[in-house]
């Protein structure tokens, strides 16, 4: 998975071959349209208020692909919430030069707002990712046996070997450690698809041109490979790093809570216009049989007191408390 996605020359992401959206390999929340970024921008503004409307509030994004989410957020805030826009800076952590180049082009209008540090740096604000965790390499371990990639003649084939207590998702846990080490004060919001506890099914998905492929050895470097997120292990690792769970719910309830904030607070005109395009976007993001239930949202907090009220996105959260 590491080589197929991130080999400097041949990897699906690092080569820049990754394509998201109708003409690409799969859809994401971001590729549905600007509404997703606009709603998240409203959630970020509430976090900014909770941190005392500070200057130099930083939004860090990882897994920013072509920069479209950042543009949707910044365009919305510039028009609708200029005070917050003036106070913030946007950081993209992007290891792959070809993707960084695309982001710079897409964000040309915001070149004074956005920067690209070479690694995660200390920050106060919010760390955001959409479908980053599912793209982190995993090891195929089950019942003390690990599947590794070997050769059968000149073809790749799985070989098995016994393995001791090794974690299958070490890369995702390392990512949690890095956030915990760099977040000074504020929140992490991660959106992804996965499972909690006994429902957890370890499934690797291989996708190209909106089709699931039967084998991860098909179209290597031209197909996306993902693994559903084991939320429980992410939560436990976060808690052992002194990050507090500030909310966990499905995307349907999360976005509905944010939409309510538009109705109750002075956030300017809601992005929910009557245009058929916006209605379609909203339906795709919210509908339980589309993206609404497939995706979950985890928020973690550091050095912010326990909330009397949850963040807007968790107003209707129904999942068991994870604290
Ligand atoms: C499934 S795509 C999601 C893209 C975008 N967030 C969206 O929702 O359309 C996953 C992205 O995570 C990126 N990625 C994986 N590991 C990363 C890391 N350690 N740091 C930054 N980006 C990473 C990949 O390069 C890829 O662009």
């Amino acid at each position: 998975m590491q080589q197929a996605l991130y080999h400097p020359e041949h990897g699906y992401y690092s080569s820049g071959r990754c394509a998201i959206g109708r003409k690409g390999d799969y859809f994401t929340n971001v590729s549905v349209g600007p509404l997703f970024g606009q709603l998240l921008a409203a959630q970020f503004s509430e976090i900014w208020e909770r941190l005392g409307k500070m200057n130099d509030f930083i939004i860090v994004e990882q897994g920013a692909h072509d920069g479209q989410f950042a543009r949707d957020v910044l365009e919305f805030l510039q028009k609708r919430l200029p005070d917050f826009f003036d106070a913030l800076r946007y950081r993209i952590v992007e290891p792959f030069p070809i993707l960084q180049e695309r982001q710079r082009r897409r964000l040309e209008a915001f070149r004074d707002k956005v920067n690209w540090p070479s690694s995660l740096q200390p920050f106060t604000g919010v760390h955001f990712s959409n479908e980053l965790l599912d793209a982190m390499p995993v090891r195929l371990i089950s019942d003390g046996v690990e599947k590794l990639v070997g050769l059968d003649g000149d073809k790749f084939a799985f070989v098995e070997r016994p393995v001791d207590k090794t974690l299958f998702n070490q890369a995702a846990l390392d990512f949690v450690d890095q956030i915990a080490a760099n977040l000074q004060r504020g929140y992490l919001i991660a959106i992804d698809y996965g499972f909690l506890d006994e429902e957890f099914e370890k499934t690797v998905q291989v996708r190209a041109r909106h089709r699931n492929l039967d084998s991860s050895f098909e179209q290597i470097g031209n197909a996306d490979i993902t693994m559903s997120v084991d939320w429980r292990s992410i939560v436990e690792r976060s808690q052992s790093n002194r990050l507090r769970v500030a909310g966990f719910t499905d995307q349907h309830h999360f976005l509905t809570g944010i939409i309510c904030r538009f109705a109750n607070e002075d956030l300017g005109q809601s992005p929910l216009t009557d245009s058929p395009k916006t209605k379609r976007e909203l339906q795709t993001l919210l509908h339980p049989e589309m993206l609404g239930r497939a995706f979950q949202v985890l928020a973690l907090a550091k050095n912010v007191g326990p909330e009397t009220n949850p963040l807007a996105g968790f107003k209707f959260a129904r999942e068991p408390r994870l604290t």
Side-chain angles (χ1 to χ4, degrees):
M1 191 168 171
Q2 172 74 42
Q3 294 298 313
L5 298 182
Y6 305 115
H7 180 281
E9 197 182 331
H10 304 294
Y12 175 70
Y13 284 114
S14 41
S15 67
R17 272 195 298 279
C18 51
I20 302 179
R22 196 173 304 283
K23 291 186 185 152
D25 297 308
Y26 55 93
F27 291 106
T28 65
N29 284 318
V30 180
S31 67
V32 169
L35 183 63
F36 179 70
Q38 294 165 351
L39 293 175
L40 264 297
Q43 178 61 93
F44 299 159
S45 85
E46 187 195 34
I47 291 177
W48 175 63
E49 285 168 20
R50 287 192 182 198
L51 298 191
K53 297 193 174 184
M54 55 183 293
N55 267 322
D56 292 327
F57 179 94
I58 297 181
I59 300 173
V60 184
E61 187 185 357
Q62 243 174 306
H65 188 55
D66 60 2
Q68 186 59 49
F69 175 80
R71 187 157 105 178
D72 295 337
V73 168
L74 291 169
E75 279 179 347
F76 177 81
L77 293 177
Q78 190 174 36
K79 273 197 220 121
R80 303 288 177 81
L81 295 169
D83 290 349
F84 178 33
F85 181 80
D86 287 345
L88 74 85
R89 299 204 51 78
Y90 205 103
R91 248 185 221 172
I92 297 181
V93 181
E94 178 54 70
F96 307 115
I98 193 163
L99 296 184
Q100 197 182 115
E101 196 42 50
R102 279 183 208 167
Q103 293 157 9
R104 284 185 192 276
R105 261 184 273 133
R106 181 132 312 178
L107 291 162
E108 179 57 27
F110 298 104
R111 62 177 176 277
D112 297 336
K113 271 279 156 214
V114 189
N115 70 334
W116 282 263
S118 53
S119 62
L120 200 61
Q121 313 267 319
F123 68 98
T124 293
V126 61
H127 182 288
F128 177 76
S129 63
N130 185 65
E131 289 205 55
L132 170 67
L133 287 167
D134 70 41
M136 298 208 166
V138 290
R139 294 172 65 173
L140 297 176
I141 297 172
S142 178
D143 296 330
V145 175
E146 176 167 19
K147 278 188 180 181
L148 297 154
V149 179
L151 282 176
D152 178 8
D154 62 353
K155 292 200 168 55
F156 290 128
F158 281 119
V159 289
E160 297 191 346
R161 73 162 186 205
V163 69
D164 243 6
K165 285 185 191 153
T166 308
L167 296 168
F168 79 98
N169 61 346
Q170 190 63 52
L173 302 178
D174 291 346
F175 162 76
V176 173
D177 293 349
Q178 277 178 27
I179 304 283
N182 285 286
L183 176 60
Q184 309 291 298
R185 192 161 79 92
Y187 291 84
L188 165 143
I189 295 179
I191 303 186
D192 224 307
Y193 65 93
F195 300 89
L196 256 187
D197 300 333
E198 65 283 354
E199 340 149 58
F200 185 60
E201 274 175 44
K202 289 184 195 166
T203 42
V204 174
Q205 275 196 36
V206 188
R207 246 178 125 67
R209 305 260 149 225
H210 297 280
R211 224 167 42 83
N212 283 333
L213 306 184
D214 292 334
S215 157
S216 45
F217 300 141
E218 272 182 62
Q219 302 196 36
I220 298 170
N222 285 301
D224 189 28
I225 306 178
T226 58
M227 171 70 158
S228 34
V229 175
D230 174 9
W231 288 115
R232 174 66 65 185
S233 69
I234 301 292
V235 164
E236 285 175 0
R237 187 65 160 233
S238 305
Q239 289 170 330
S240 66
N241 273 302
R242 291 192 293 133
L243 295 169
R244 177 172 59 78
V245 176
F248 182 75
T249 191
D250 63 40
Q251 176 162 299
H252 174 91
H253 288 89
F254 180 72
L255 295 182
T256 307
I258 297 175
I259 290 164
C260 261
R261 180 167 149 78
F262 276 102
N264 300 336
E265 306 276 329
D266 183 20
L267 285 181
Q269 197 194 349
S270 161
L272 298 169
T273 58
D274 279 339
S275 86
K277 180 174 171 300
T278 307
K279 278 189 185 153
R280 270 199 309 277
E281 285 177 35
L282 185 63
Q283 189 182 24
T284 308
L285 294 172
L286 284 190
H287 197 292
E289 287 175 347
M290 298 171 102
L291 302 178
R293 206 155 42 201
F295 284 86
Q296 298 86 45
V297 187
L298 174 68
L300 302 167
K302 184 167 169 191
N303 294 335
V304 280
E307 298 94 353
T308 350
N309 295 312
L311 291 176
F314 300 99
K315 185 172 174 179
F316 303 119
R318 295 185 310 181
E319 271 72 9
R321 286 183 70 82
L322 288 168
T323 44

